[in-house]
Amino acid sequence: RATRAHFKAAFQGFVTTYFAHIWECRMMRQGLKMFEANKDGVTASKLTDYAAQCPLQRMHTATCATKMMINNGVTVVGYLPRTVSVEVKKGGIVRLERRRQQDVVVIYGIFSAAYKPSAVTYNIQAEDIDSILKYGRSIHGEAFLNGKRLPGGMYHGVLPVAEIVHTEGDGESVLLAITDADAAVPLFPEYAR
């Protein structure tokens, strides 16, 4: 049978661990908010999960029921911050508020699940992302933007043949095609890393 002293000692241990963790999370969140609020026009912020795994859609049978996975380094990049006025309606009253906005692009680095994500893959992706933002071209991998393959990169596979896809709702046909970009168009030429 435990005493009050045992409970107090155990509870204090749990609380000490909990508060340290919560404090760290809140400080990190606050630090990120402060960085985003004070970011200048030549800085981009990148948040990356380079160990995300996504299932690959494919046929599977009873003997092969495990879905194949691919590694997917997902990076969200925010750049070109600006302050805009937006209308906010609260309690029937409309007023203008100034809010911070920025351009955002999501970049997926896809590679085989047999390859374990590491700092090397992260750094290679980071170099490609920096190059795409500043120069509009890839250094290492094959990069696509709005259905166009960007110039550069060490690997250039054969592009798939265009196909006609029927949409579900209205029954219209859409031509899906990936082509090479005519020239490198940087997303953020002012970028200074």
Side-chain angles (χ1 to χ4, degrees):
R1 191 168 146 178
T3 64
R4 229 183 254 176
H6 288 108
F7 171 74
K8 185 178 176 186
F11 185 71
Q12 281 180 336
F14 293 139
V15 167
T16 303
T17 306
Y18 170 77
F19 281 133
H21 175 72
I22 291 299
W23 180 253
E24 183 181 354
C25 290
R26 285 186 181 161
M27 289 302 291
M28 287 172 41
R29 240 187 335 222
Q30 182 64 20
L32 184 59
K33 284 181 183 176
M34 292 301 294
F35 171 76
E36 290 293 339
N38 297 308
K39 182 168 59 175
D40 60 15
V42 296
T43 304
S45 54
K46 295 186 275 188
L47 298 172
T48 302
D49 179 2
Y50 62 94
Q53 286 202 338
C54 303
L56 195 61
Q57 297 297 322
R58 66 177 178 89
M59 294 293 292
H60 58 277
T61 62
T63 57
C64 183
T66 306
K67 286 192 173 184
M68 185 175 176
M69 304 293 278
I70 56 172
N71 282 331
N72 189 357
V74 182
T75 303
V76 179
V77 182
Y79 59 97
L80 292 177
R82 58 197 171 278
T83 304
V84 296
S85 295
V86 294
E87 287 185 357
V88 178
K89 185 177 181 180
K90 287 185 182 176
I93 300 171
V94 178
R95 61 186 174 95
L96 283 178
E97 277 188 11
R98 297 179 59 75
R99 294 207 178 151
R100 190 99 161 147
Q101 285 187 352
Q102 62 184 341
D103 291 346
V104 175
V105 64
V106 179
I107 299 169
Y108 298 92
I110 299 172
F111 44 95
S112 169
Y115 185 79
K116 184 178 178 186
S118 64
V120 174
T121 57
Y122 172 78
N123 290 332
I124 288 172
Q125 273 187 274
E127 284 180 355
D128 267 351
I129 291 167
D130 290 344
S131 179
I132 290 167
L133 286 173
K134 186 149 182 84
Y135 306 111
R137 59 185 307 110
S138 174
I139 298 172
H140 304 285
E142 191 173 25
F144 298 88
L145 180 67
N146 298 330
K148 305 272 186 197
R149 179 167 52 188
L150 300 177
M154 292 188 229
Y155 172 79
H156 271 276
V158 177
L159 291 174
V161 177
E163 63 179 275
I164 297 175
V165 176
H166 301 285
T167 57
E168 292 179 19
D170 51 12
E172 288 188 28
S173 298
V174 178
L175 178 66
L176 294 178
I178 299 174
T179 59
D180 283 317
D182 297 329
V185 180
L187 297 172
F188 185 31
E190 303 88 13
Y191 179 46
R193 182 170 189 213

